[in-house]
Amino acid sequence: MNDQPTMVPNNTEERRAPSFHKATPSGKRTAAGKAWRKPLLWGLLIALLTAVLLGGAGMVWVNGLDISKLEHPLPEPTFVIDAGGQPVSQLSSSRIVPVPLNDIPLDLRNAVIAVEDRRFYDHAGFDLWSIGRAVLRDLKHGSLKEGGSTITQQLAKNLFLDSDKTFNRKFKELGYAIKINFTYSKDEILELYLNSIFFGEGRWGVEGAAQQYFGKPVQKLTLPESALLAGLPKAPSLYSPMRNKEKALERRNLVLSMMREQHFITEAAYQEAVATPIVLKPNHGETLKGKYPSYVDYVLEEAERLYGFTEQQVLTMGLRIHTAMDTSVQQAAEQLYREDSWFPAGPTDQPVQSSVVVIDHKTGAIRAMVGSRGEQVQRGFNRATQLKRQPGSSFKPLAVYGPALERGYTPDSTLYDGDLNIGGYQPKDWDGQTRGQVSLREAVLRSWNIPAVWLLNEIGLDAGMDYLRRAGIQLPKADRNLSMALGGLSEGVSPLQMAQAYGAIANQGVLQRAHAITKITTKEGHPLVEALPQPTQLTKPMHAYTLTLLLQEAVASGSGKAAALGGRPVAGKTGTTQLPATAEFAQIGANGAKDAWFVGFTPELTAAIWLGYDQTDRNHYLTTSGGAVPAVLFRELMTRVLKDVPASPFPVPQEVLDAQAAAKAAAQAAAQAQLQQRLQLEEQLNLARQQQQGNGAKGKGKKKDD
């Protein structure tokens, strides 16, 4: 055997190679396949890198989107609470009343998910299947008609984007949705959506929609009602049950069928719901928003001025502002001011205006306030608090007679009523006559001007200014003159100021600061501020009581007779200011007036009423006085608000009671002394008679003996 290895030529492989290729018919195609793999791999690599870069850029862009608006809770309305603890008005900067998700019925949540975004809890803020389906339909129709938006995308559109249908807007919507989805939980997103979506008829959010269509809070919605609301956002006008009940019913039942299909409700629940007719109970706008505008405007002012709240805080923080409003008094005042028959007719271009403030003088609580006649709007001009007008003779008790009583004058004191010229100031009585001398009582009853000016000059201007300051009326230096006695002021006073000042007289000389707010709390009831009583002494109780008696006589038999309430005691004073002494009013003369007032009180309430034109000119002036229309308005208002309150007398101060008791005791002692003197005198007379009779008997006896 040949043990040597077989030698293979060096070119053996080279020779076999051709035979190998020949034996493989597809060899050329394999080589060609290898030729395009490399470009394909490069292409895939480039595409992958591009996708990574685009994805990274997209992530950076999405991450940079500002959704901080969602971090702030939706503005919550603040509620104004009346003295009885009931909400009477709503303050809000938003059209939305937000409610937490747990307060929204599960049926309503499921209905919205069923019809708007069935995969809501499964996708990442966008649904590729829905988007793809929408794109195909849009391409088919050649326009952007299909939405394909998830609940998250709709939330993004509502809060951050315009409603135009462009690819750019849809792209932004997708980006916002992705960021929202990775920032907030699904429940948080659903809550934000349900509180911000438009449901038609001017209502945003489920709470507003529930109130608008069914007159109830969202928590009390039934399954059929929830399904109806869920069907509205797609086309609120088309499916509104107030506009088209048939289409609303069709849409509602479609939502119910989708809920059944997605196993949110059973077949039995579905059958019962679709058989239920649509029953609307709209509140026709009878919400708390915008109610009692004059009073609520003052509440806002007080919250800002006294307690430091900004208007934005009041409108967005969901506060509970407890007030002193008595709704029965407030409603009576508003109803009276809606009845034109109680007011003088005026030119159609400018009605006669009026305002009224009613306070409880024992506490300073503002029970009612109406700032104008006609339609009232919030944040309008409030004539009860913002108007400043000359008060006329209603100022006399504050500027003259009150301080005079403090200085020893009495109702029987004699005052001068003749021609008067003090430094060029020459007041005249309203009847153009003089009486020489009158009592202080008569000057108040007849509202004579000359005695009031003379008396202010006697007691001094500082006495009047100081009394007014204690009454809460701070006059500027320009008013330090004798015309102050007749209410001739440079700026004037408001009805609220007058009510507060007269309230101090009614309250036995103790002024309680007039206030609307009693306390402010959070919506959970945690106290933030509380109004504390701030009594100040205007005058001694005895002087206040004397002034009350004088003002009571002014109503009973003086210039304020039209304000009398029959068997109920009333005290008060009229006020009328004349037209300016200018050429414009020269022909009108004493037949016209600029302002008319009545300020008065019962043992329960004090009220100030002003009447006049916003702009007084030769075509717009009053032909009435404070003793006419304002006094009648006072009488009518008090008749309505006190109809169920038993009449009671004005309280008598203890000092007066003590003085009366002392006077009675003194009178009794004097009477007893007189009786004792008379008895002693009679006894002396009897003794004298007896002596005379005894002497006579002796004389007769002697005669007999003789």
Side-chain angles (χ1 to χ4, degrees):
M1 292 185 61
N2 188 357
D3 296 329
Q4 294 294 324
T6 304
M7 300 297 295
V8 180
N10 291 335
N11 61 352
T12 300
E13 294 297 328
E14 293 179 7
R15 290 199 303 269
R16 288 181 179 175
S19 62
F20 174 80
H21 286 294
K22 287 179 181 178
T24 310
S26 60
K28 291 182 179 180
R29 288 196 297 274
T30 303
K34 289 182 178 180
W36 57 260
R37 281 181 189 172
K38 193 170 185 179
L40 176 61
L41 290 174
W42 276 108
L44 290 174
L45 181 60
I46 292 172
L48 180 62
L49 289 173
T50 302
V52 170
L53 290 174
L54 288 176
M59 290 178 63
V60 172
W61 173 69
V62 168
N63 189 57
L65 292 174
D66 182 12
I67 61 170
S68 59
K69 186 176 181 179
L70 294 174
E71 297 174 7
H72 305 288
L74 289 169
E76 292 200 44
T78 285
F79 287 93
V80 176
I81 313 297
D82 69 7
Q86 296 301 310
V88 292
S89 189
Q90 176 184 322
L91 299 169
S92 177
S93 64
S94 172
R95 52 197 169 187
I96 298 171
V97 180
V99 290
L101 190 66
N102 288 337
D103 288 346
I104 300 173
L106 183 60
D107 282 336
L108 178 53
R109 289 181 261 163
N110 289 338
V112 170
I113 290 172
V115 71
E116 293 290 339
D117 188 0
R118 65 173 61 197
R119 297 185 60 248
F120 171 71
Y121 279 100
D122 299 322
H123 58 61
F126 62 95
D127 191 342
L128 289 176
W129 174 256
S130 296
I131 293 174
R133 184 176 63 241
V135 169
L136 289 176
R137 291 180 182 175
D138 287 341
L139 291 174
K140 181 179 179 180
H141 293 96
S143 63
L144 291 173
K145 291 185 177 180
E146 288 293 325
S149 295
T150 63
I151 284 175
T152 313
Q153 288 174 269
Q154 292 181 56
L155 177 64
K157 179 186 71 175
N158 291 340
L159 295 181
F160 303 111
L161 302 169
D162 297 327
S163 58
D164 60 309
K165 290 190 174 183
T166 64
F167 282 110
N168 184 51
R169 198 272 292 162
K170 293 291 289 183
F171 186 70
K172 288 182 179 178
E173 177 187 297
L174 184 62
Y176 275 109
I178 292 172
K179 181 160 186 180
I180 291 172
N181 187 78
F182 283 100
T183 306
Y184 293 91
S185 70
K186 290 290 185 179
D187 283 350
E188 289 172 332
I189 294 170
L190 184 60
E191 179 179 311
L192 287 166
Y193 174 81
L194 291 173
N195 279 307
S196 61
I197 198 68
F198 183 57
F199 285 90
E201 305 298 335
R203 294 296 187 146
W204 298 77
V206 289
E207 177 64 23
Q211 294 288 353
Q212 176 65 29
Y213 295 108
F214 304 112
K216 63 171 71 171
V218 68
Q219 296 96 319
K220 296 184 178 181
L221 291 179
T222 64
L223 171 59
E225 292 167 345
S226 296
L228 187 144
L229 293 189
L232 290 174
K234 181 177 177 64
S237 297
L238 178 63
Y239 297 126
S240 171
M242 292 182 171
R243 301 168 186 257
N244 193 329
K245 197 170 258 191
E246 290 183 3
K247 282 194 173 293
L249 181 63
E250 180 182 336
R251 177 69 173 169
R252 183 203 72 176
N253 291 346
L254 173 62
V255 174
L256 288 168
S257 68
M258 297 177 76
M259 294 180 73
R260 177 188 59 179
E261 174 191 333
Q262 296 172 47
H263 307 293
F264 286 125
I265 58 174
T266 64
E267 178 67 27
Y270 167 77
Q271 293 296 340
E272 181 181 353
V274 295
T276 303
I278 294 176
V279 179
L280 300 177
K281 294 181 181 178
N283 54 27
H284 299 294
E286 290 297 322
T287 64
L288 295 179
K289 197 165 186 178
K291 293 198 73 175
Y292 310 123
S294 297
Y295 196 102
V296 171
D297 279 352
Y298 187 70
V299 168
L300 271 171
E301 179 194 330
E302 228 179 56
E304 296 171 20
R305 175 171 49 86
L306 296 182
Y307 303 113
F309 287 90
T310 66
E311 181 174 340
Q312 187 66 15
Q313 287 174 325
V314 172
L315 297 179
T316 61
M317 289 178 60
L319 303 173
R320 300 296 181 264
I321 304 181
H322 296 258
T323 71
M325 179 195 290
D326 184 327
T327 50
S328 64
V329 181
Q330 180 70 32
Q331 290 169 3
E334 293 197 355
Q335 180 59 40
L336 178 64
Y337 269 61
R338 284 193 289 266
E339 298 171 8
D340 293 339
S341 60
W342 297 104
F343 297 87
T348 56
D349 64 323
Q350 186 186 160
V352 176
Q353 273 297 346
S354 183
S355 61
V356 59
V357 177
V358 182
I359 68 171
D360 177 349
H361 45 253
K362 299 181 189 68
T363 62
I366 300 174
R367 296 305 188 194
M369 179 183 293
V370 178
S372 68
R373 289 182 65 208
E375 183 179 358
Q376 299 180 54
V377 295
Q378 282 193 329
R379 308 312 271 169
F381 182 63
N382 191 341
R383 295 166 185 83
T385 61
Q386 296 173 309
L387 172 133
K388 295 290 184 71
R389 290 292 180 92
Q390 294 183 350
S393 292
S394 65
F395 215 51
K396 292 174 182 175
L398 303 173
V400 181
Y401 297 120
L405 293 174
E406 291 181 331
R407 283 155 180 78
Y409 283 83
T410 71
D412 297 321
S413 296
T414 300
L415 309 182
Y416 176 75
D417 183 28
D419 292 337
L420 190 66
N421 186 331
I422 303 176
Y425 182 53
Q426 298 176 278
K428 302 295 180 183
D429 286 339
W430 56 265
D431 62 350
Q433 302 180 24
T434 59
R435 280 142 290 275
Q437 289 183 336
V438 295
S439 69
L440 188 150
R441 174 183 286 103
E442 187 179 359
V444 174
L445 263 61
R446 306 303 169 199
S447 198
W448 304 128
N449 292 335
I450 295 173
V453 174
W454 177 86
L455 182 56
L456 179 59
N457 187 62
E458 289 293 307
I459 64 175
L461 290 170
D462 289 338
M465 296 281 282
D466 180 60
Y467 194 93
L468 289 165
R469 179 189 57 76
R470 283 180 273 141
I473 299 174
Q474 190 77 40
L475 296 182
K477 290 183 178 179
D479 289 330
R480 195 179 180 279
N481 55 67
L482 291 175
S483 64
M484 173 179 68
L486 310 182
L489 308 178
S490 59
E491 183 182 50
V493 289
S494 70
L496 178 60
Q497 286 178 299
M498 292 297 286
Q500 178 179 260
Y502 268 65
I505 300 170
N507 194 37
Q508 301 187 54
V510 177
L511 185 144
Q512 294 282 7
R513 180 177 57 83
H515 62 280
I517 296 174
T518 56
K519 66 178 179 179
I520 301 177
T521 71
T522 65
K523 66 178 181 179
E524 295 83 10
H526 301 305
L528 299 176
V529 297
E530 187 168 358
L532 299 176
Q534 296 183 14
T536 57
Q537 195 72 35
L538 168 64
T539 190
K540 290 182 178 180
M542 182 171 60
H543 300 321
Y545 182 67
T546 302
L547 190 53
T548 296
L549 295 179
L550 287 169
L551 295 176
Q552 191 174 359
E553 289 187 62
V555 172
S557 57
S559 61
K561 285 189 290 186
L565 292 174
R568 187 182 297 276
V570 178
K573 186 72 186 71
T574 60
T576 308
T577 61
Q578 301 306 310
L579 293 172
T582 62
E584 180 182 9
F585 301 106
Q587 294 182 343
I588 301 171
N591 296 320
K594 186 174 186 291
D595 303 285
W597 294 75
F598 184 82
V599 189
F601 50 89
T602 69
E604 298 81 16
L605 297 170
T606 297
I609 295 174
W610 165 84
L611 185 82
Y613 282 96
D614 287 339
Q615 298 294 331
T616 302
D617 56 41
R618 61 185 303 169
N619 297 317
H620 304 89
Y621 60 89
L622 297 177
T623 56
T624 186
S625 65
V629 176
V632 170
L633 288 171
F634 177 92
R635 180 195 69 205
E636 186 61 24
L637 178 59
M638 290 301 176
T639 298
R640 297 182 185 189
V641 302
L642 298 174
K643 62 180 180 179
D644 298 323
V645 179
S648 60
F650 285 113
V652 182
Q654 188 60 46
E655 184 181 1
V656 174
L657 291 174
D658 292 343
Q660 290 175 344
K664 184 178 179 181
Q668 289 175 344
Q672 186 68 29
Q674 289 178 351
L675 177 62
Q676 189 67 30
Q677 288 176 355
R678 188 171 68 249
L679 291 174
Q680 289 177 354
L681 181 59
E682 289 178 356
E683 186 177 353
Q684 291 173 357
L685 289 173
N686 288 334
L687 288 172
R689 290 192 194 100
Q690 290 175 4
Q691 288 177 356
Q692 289 176 356
Q693 290 174 357
N695 292 334
K698 289 180 180 179
K700 286 179 182 181
K702 286 180 180 180
K703 229 173 187 185
K704 235 177 215 185
D705 292 340
D706 291 343

